[in-house]
Amino acid sequence: MRETLAANISRYRKNMGLTQDALAEQLSITFQAVSKWETGQTVPDTALLPKLAQALNISIDKLLGYSAFVSDVSHYESDYRKDEYFWGIQPSMMCLKVIELLPPTRPLKILDIGCGEGKDAVFFARCGYEVSAFDFSQAGIEKTKRLADKARVHVNAFRANMWDYRLSEMYDVIFSSGALHYIKPELRDEVMTDYKTHVNDGGLVALHVFVEKPFIPPPPERENHSYFWKSGQLFMYFHDWHINHCTEYAFDCNSSGIPHRHAANRLVASCAKQA
Ligand SMILES: C[S@@+](CC[C@H](N)C(=O)[O-])C[C@H]1O[C@@H](n2cnc3c(N)ncnc32)[C@H](O)[C@@H]1O
């Protein structure tokens, strides 16, 4: 929570156009105190939270990273509490594309967004990448850590919500398989810009999103907070990057116990920043 709070204070302060000094003045504290909150060295006193939230024009819940959320995601929570791995432990095909294009011949940092129970994150760690991974499901994070322990590798796995978690460091690879449709459409531009600007020069994104197709019926599992992408939309976000691989395909799925089909777009693109 400390990391989320630190990132939120910094993000919403900037959104309000406030300097650290200006925020500190409103709260009758020093700018050094604000700076320490934003780097996660300290957290604000609880008595200050109402005033801080008011100054940033958000609720205390939102400040703490508990934006009204997604009871539906709890279906993952209960699925992941079972002993067996809901998604299995075999890495997704997209992992192989990453290894092919950016093998870990030097220290490389990967972030797996919506990592589930960690099959891809742990695979990357086993291959020698330095891996961070987050998911909204606490059970998923615990299972990711257990899978990493079993493989005797380290994954920096933590719980966070894509809706309000913003990146605070740069990565060589940003990876996400089957999770970005949980970003609310009105947040999509902001979140994708955040991900895009946190990839090192020469780094990659490897992203897999579910898309709507008129000839594929909606999936039987009804989730209120799932927003399938438009076909091709993902590629547009990376029109100014080198596209290594982009594809659309349909596949069978049985995740709800009822056989159905999904369509997906998969993109692997390299970041080449201008000189
Ligand atoms: C279809 S699963 C994919 C899991 C994993 N990437 C894999 O391929 O095994 C989607 C994942 O997104 C996570 N998720 C859903 N909403 C989220 C959110 N707002 N923030 C972070 N993770 C979220 C779910 O908990 C779930 O683990």
Side-chain angles (χ1 to χ4, degrees):
M1 195 202 67
R2 185 185 278 246
E3 264 184 14
T4 306
L5 178 59
N8 282 346
I9 296 172
S10 164
R11 172 178 166 219
Y12 291 110
R13 173 180 63 74
K14 288 174 192 159
N15 283 355
M16 292 292 289
L18 292 170
T19 59
Q20 290 186 338
D21 256 333
L23 178 61
E25 203 182 313
Q26 284 194 35
L27 303 172
S28 310
I29 54 168
T30 63
F31 80 87
Q32 288 96 335
V34 175
S35 166
K36 282 186 181 168
W37 296 343
E38 293 188 359
T39 51
Q41 292 173 62
T42 59
V43 291
D45 194 278
T46 38
L48 260 185
L49 288 180
K51 229 173 147 186
L52 175 58
Q54 195 180 21
L56 300 178
N57 199 25
I58 52 173
S59 65
I60 296 178
D61 271 5
K62 195 163 180 181
L63 179 63
L64 297 175
Y66 298 114
S67 33
F69 195 63
V70 190
S71 54
D72 311 55
V73 171
S74 63
H75 88 77
Y76 288 114
E77 196 60 33
S78 49
D79 292 333
Y80 293 171
R81 273 204 210 108
K82 297 176 188 147
D83 281 343
E84 68 270 24
Y85 276 70
F86 188 73
W87 304 109
I89 55 171
Q90 294 305 318
S92 80
M93 288 294 290
M94 212 165 52
C95 298
L96 305 182
K97 282 268 167 222
V98 171
I99 292 175
E100 186 188 315
L101 289 164
L102 206 55
T105 48
R106 59 187 167 92
L108 291 172
K109 285 167 67 167
I110 291 195
L111 176 67
D112 182 356
I113 296 169
C115 63
E117 303 156 294
K119 63 177 171 41
D120 298 325
V122 171
F123 174 75
F124 282 130
R126 290 178 63 193
C127 292
Y129 295 89
E130 187 185 314
V131 185
S132 294
F134 75 85
D135 197 281
F136 188 73
S137 160
Q138 184 59 37
I141 291 308
E142 283 161 17
K143 259 171 134 175
T144 299
K145 288 183 177 164
R146 285 207 296 278
L147 195 62
D149 285 348
K150 208 166 161 204
R152 296 176 189 273
V153 292
H154 176 69
V155 171
N156 169 31
F158 58 97
R159 181 167 184 252
N161 182 350
M162 287 182 282
W163 290 13
D164 52 26
Y165 180 74
R166 297 295 173 267
L167 308 189
S168 55
E169 55 183 299
M170 301 294 288
Y171 295 92
D172 299 294
V173 180
I174 289 192
F175 178 96
S176 182
S177 180
L180 298 183
H181 60 292
Y182 290 111
I183 301 169
K184 287 195 282 190
E186 62 267 32
L187 292 177
R188 215 173 259 166
D189 283 355
E190 185 195 330
V191 173
M192 293 311 289
T193 303
D194 185 49
Y195 296 165
K196 217 177 149 182
T197 50
H198 284 87
V199 177
N200 286 324
D201 199 8
L204 291 177
V205 292
L207 306 171
H208 168 290
V209 300
F210 293 107
V211 297
E212 296 164 346
K213 287 305 230 185
F215 48 85
I216 296 192
E221 66 268 53
R222 297 195 68 78
E223 297 179 300
N224 288 334
H225 293 284
S226 148
Y227 313 93
F228 280 20
W229 291 52
K230 296 262 174 274
S231 174
Q233 194 182 6
L234 175 66
F235 309 142
M236 287 302 294
Y237 277 106
F238 293 88
H239 67 92
D240 51 351
W241 283 30
H242 178 76
I243 308 281
N244 299 290
H245 167 89
C246 72
T247 186
E248 176 165 286
Y249 59 102
F251 59 99
D252 296 321
C253 182
N254 199 21
S255 57
S256 55
I258 307 170
H260 57 281
R261 276 177 86 64
H262 283 301
N265 282 177
R266 189 164 59 205
L267 169 80
V268 181
S270 309
C271 170
K273 295 200 171 126
Q274 280 178 352

